[in-house]
Amino acid sequence: PVACGHFLVLNQADLSLWCYACDSYVQHESLRPLVKRLESLKFGKGEVLEPLPAVGSPLVCEPVALHGLLGNPSWGAPRLVRACNDEARPGYQTMRAHEYLD
């Protein structure tokens, strides 16, 4: 998201975000991963982020999971095109939001 003209500051005591342009505190879903990571660093709790896989690496799993029941086992595995530590489906069998290309 683009926030032209909005200048945010982080309160290091409680990790709240303040916007000088809006003259108010800011809470937005796009800022959640940042705040979660800062909480983990500051308070030493929360999830430990795994290292991101290398772009171009193949997806490793069972063939049926790669291409479905009608997939051909001779097809190559999808390759990673974007690694991301964000959650793909927060709250519902969450996994990382990596993007792959068939």
Side-chain angles (χ1 to χ4, degrees), residues 11-28:
N11 181 329
Q12 293 181 0
D14 64 3
L15 302 178
S16 61
L17 292 162
W18 177 264
C19 176
Y20 283 110
C22 299
D23 196 30
S24 67
Y25 288 101
V26 176
Q27 291 183 351
H28 192 271

Side-chain angles (χ1 to χ4, degrees), residues 68-92:
L69 292 173
L70 300 177
N72 186 328
S74 68
W75 295 345
R79 299 228 170 244
L80 182 70
V81 292
R82 183 178 184 276
C84 180
N85 263 328
D86 292 340
E87 295 177 346
R89 295 177 275 170
Y92 178 77

Side-chain angles (χ1 to χ4, degrees), residues 1 10-12 23 32 36 42 44 47 52 55 57 66 69-70 85 97:
L10 174 74
N11 181 329
Q12 293 181 0
D23 196 30
R32 278 191 208 135
K36 283 177 66 175
K42 179 176 173 126
E47 69 178 302
L52 292 175
V55 171
S57 62
L66 294 174
L69 292 173
L70 300 177
N85 263 328

